[in-house]
Amino acid sequence: MNHIISRISRCTFIASCILFAASCSKGKFHVTGTISDAKDSVLYFENMSLDGPVVVDSVKLDADGSFSFSGAPVGAPEFYRLRIARNIINVSIDSTETVELQASYPTMAVSYEVKGSDNCEKIRELAVLQNRLLNDAIAIGGLPSLSVKQSADSIDRLVEVYKEKVKRDYIFKEPGKAYAYFALFQALGNRLIFNPRESQEDIRVFAAVATSWDTYYPEAERGKNLHNIAIEGLKTMRIIEAQKQGPVIDISKVGVSNIIDISLIDNKGNRRALSDLKGKVVLLDFHAFAMDGSTQRIMQLRDVYNKYHGRGLEIYQVSVDPDEHFWKTQTAALPWINVHDGDNLQSQYLKRYNVGSIPTFFLIDRSNSLYKRDAQIQDLDKEIEGLL
């Protein structure tokens, strides 16, 4: 009898261990696969932290090249890389997904297959495009018929074409995705492809991704870091402009706003900038007066405006109506700021604020910083009261 009990206990213990192992595995992310032709090479699995790469794990590859790494789930997209010497495959991780990779050494950086993650597939596409850009730049640099300046100008044009494609197909398309974040930090040798310290447009690109991360991952350090980069870029650009026009100014006196600015013509013919409303709580509303339910929504906004305007609330409403005359007639009697975007549903502002449907609104605090969007707000009165 004791022998039977012992066998039952042993079986129960083994079953418990299996269940425990399964539950532990389910609560982790996994990066698995094979890298052929890399026998005896050390494969490092590194976290690409904001302070630089940190080794998480490593394995010495056998002849079959198989590997498997895992880690604790993440609350916001996180970035890792597989590295053998200077050959790198970048991956992003969301929650507890499993990413499978197949590659061969030493071409692993630009010739590999990935399964289980759309973000990682897009990162692979970006790696291929970046490598193609590098090869094209090297080819231009090697042309004896071009002077140094001609070569540099040609490479600059090449980079601009690349940036437009990446913005259109990867960043503005889905700025809240991990691959959009990854695209911001690509480089051509030692040259940053998107450099917010040198380009106003690049600042807007960083800010678009930062705004989306604010929405989906409000506590993520990477989102906060994007805002800091954009703000520092604004400071630098404004100092450069000031230096062109006069004496050097103190950087501490340079004002910036923590939003993607909007500057459009209102229904009275005046240009109105969202950043000019610093000091007020702003309800930024993207709207189309021709849509169903518009009248009811405007009545709701009237109630909000009448209740809080005297205490410091302003409404900045962006219309994307295709008929500008219709928009003017609909807004003639409205007391808040109404501007019109002639690009309609193709508006860059819709993309930069990651607006997927109309209407959509955001709350902006008195410091001109984006606070929350409608999807994050359950009690609008409570949120406005808190900001006022």
Side-chain angles (χ1 to χ4, degrees):
M1 178 65 72
N2 288 339
H3 177 64
I4 294 173
I5 291 174
S6 177
R7 288 179 60 192
I8 293 173
S9 298
R10 190 182 304 116
C11 290
T12 302
F13 174 74
I14 292 171
S16 297
C17 289
I18 292 172
L19 288 172
F20 178 75
S23 65
C24 289
S25 176
K26 184 177 286 188
K28 295 182 177 182
F29 71 81
H30 301 273
V31 179
T32 65
T34 60
I35 298 178
S36 61
D37 301 324
K39 185 177 182 296
D40 293 332
S41 296
V42 177
L43 175 65
Y44 293 94
F45 184 58
E46 299 172 328
N47 173 225
M48 296 305 296
S49 75
L50 292 175
D51 296 321
V54 177
V55 176
V56 177
D57 201 352
S58 64
V59 63
K60 187 174 182 179
L61 297 176
D62 294 331
D64 66 356
S66 62
F67 63 88
S68 180
F69 301 113
S70 62
V74 292
E78 193 51 70
F79 297 87
Y80 297 84
R81 70 182 187 184
L82 298 166
R83 180 177 64 84
I84 298 178
R86 299 178 66 180
N87 298 273
I88 291 167
I89 296 176
N90 289 289
V91 298
S92 70
I93 295 296
D94 287 316
S95 188
T96 57
E97 64 191 333
T98 296
V99 180
E100 299 180 27
L101 295 153
Q102 304 292 328
S104 179
Y105 186 76
T107 59
M108 57 186 275
V110 293
S111 180
Y112 64 92
E113 296 179 2
V114 60
K115 296 180 181 178
S117 170
D118 179 62
N119 272 305
C120 289
E121 170 58 24
K122 295 294 186 184
I123 287 173
R124 184 197 67 79
E125 292 174 12
L126 285 163
V128 172
L129 290 172
Q130 183 182 10
N131 186 64
R132 190 178 302 159
L133 173 67
L134 175 62
N135 289 335
D136 290 345
I138 291 173
I140 290 173
L143 290 174
S145 59
L146 297 180
S147 67
V148 173
K149 185 178 185 307
Q150 289 173 328
S151 177
D153 290 344
S154 296
I155 292 173
D156 285 344
R157 288 192 292 271
L158 199 67
V159 170
E160 287 305 312
V161 171
Y162 179 87
K163 288 170 68 172
E164 289 303 314
K165 176 177 177 58
V166 170
K167 283 190 291 186
R168 180 185 69 246
D169 297 343
Y170 294 91
I171 297 177
F172 289 151
K173 188 174 183 179
E174 292 184 295
K177 294 290 188 179
Y179 68 81
Y181 180 102
F182 175 83
L184 295 177
F185 297 97
Q186 288 190 297
L188 180 63
N190 294 323
R191 170 183 179 174
L192 291 174
I193 293 173
F194 292 96
N195 190 345
R197 289 187 175 274
E198 295 182 357
S199 165
Q200 290 276 9
E201 176 59 26
D202 290 355
I203 292 171
R204 288 191 282 270
V205 175
F206 268 78
V209 178
T211 300
S212 290
W213 277 57
D214 279 347
T215 299
Y216 297 110
Y217 318 106
E219 301 303 320
E221 286 300 317
R222 290 187 183 275
K224 297 174 184 177
N225 184 56
L226 288 179
H227 273 302
N228 290 336
I229 291 172
I231 289 170
E232 289 304 313
L234 279 171
K235 287 182 179 180
T236 301
M237 293 301 297
R238 291 181 182 183
I239 289 171
I240 291 172
E241 289 301 314
Q243 288 174 338
K244 290 178 181 177
Q245 299 174 16
V248 177
I249 62 173
D250 184 353
I251 190 169
S252 65
K253 296 180 181 178
V254 177
V256 296
S257 63
N258 197 14
I259 56 168
I260 301 169
D261 200 12
I262 299 175
S263 180
L264 292 167
I265 304 301
D266 70 8
N267 52 356
K268 297 178 177 62
N270 302 312
R271 180 166 292 279
R272 303 300 296 269
L274 182 60
S275 57
D276 289 341
L277 299 177
K278 187 173 183 179
K280 294 181 178 291
V281 173
V282 181
L283 192 156
L284 168 62
D285 186 59
F286 291 93
H287 188 76
F289 287 86
M291 70 182 182
D292 293 339
S294 172
T295 301
Q296 182 180 0
R297 179 176 175 79
I298 293 302
M299 290 175 63
Q300 293 170 343
L301 287 177
R302 272 189 180 275
D303 290 341
V304 171
Y305 184 86
N306 292 339
K307 188 174 182 179
Y308 297 111
H309 178 66
R311 296 171 55 190
L313 174 77
E314 186 57 81
I315 296 177
Y316 187 100
Q317 190 166 48
V318 181
S319 163
V320 292
D321 286 276
D323 187 335
E324 185 175 354
H325 177 72
F326 172 78
W327 160 71
K328 284 185 178 179
T329 61
Q330 293 295 307
T331 61
L334 296 180
W336 55 79
I337 298 170
N338 273 278
V339 296
H340 182 258
D341 193 329
D343 290 333
N344 313 128
L345 293 179
Q346 302 305 313
S347 166
Q348 289 296 312
Y349 295 122
L350 293 181
K351 296 176 182 178
R352 290 168 185 169
Y353 274 89
N354 197 30
V355 175
S357 62
I358 299 291
T360 291
F361 74 85
F362 299 79
L363 282 180
I364 296 168
D365 66 21
R366 291 184 184 272
S367 69
N368 225 203
S369 296
L370 195 66
Y371 175 63
K372 287 183 180 179
R373 71 185 297 158
D374 49 7
Q376 299 171 292
I377 297 173
Q378 295 182 347
D379 187 332
L380 179 59
D381 286 281
K382 182 179 179 180
E383 298 287 1
I384 292 175
E385 288 279 0
L387 292 175
L388 290 174

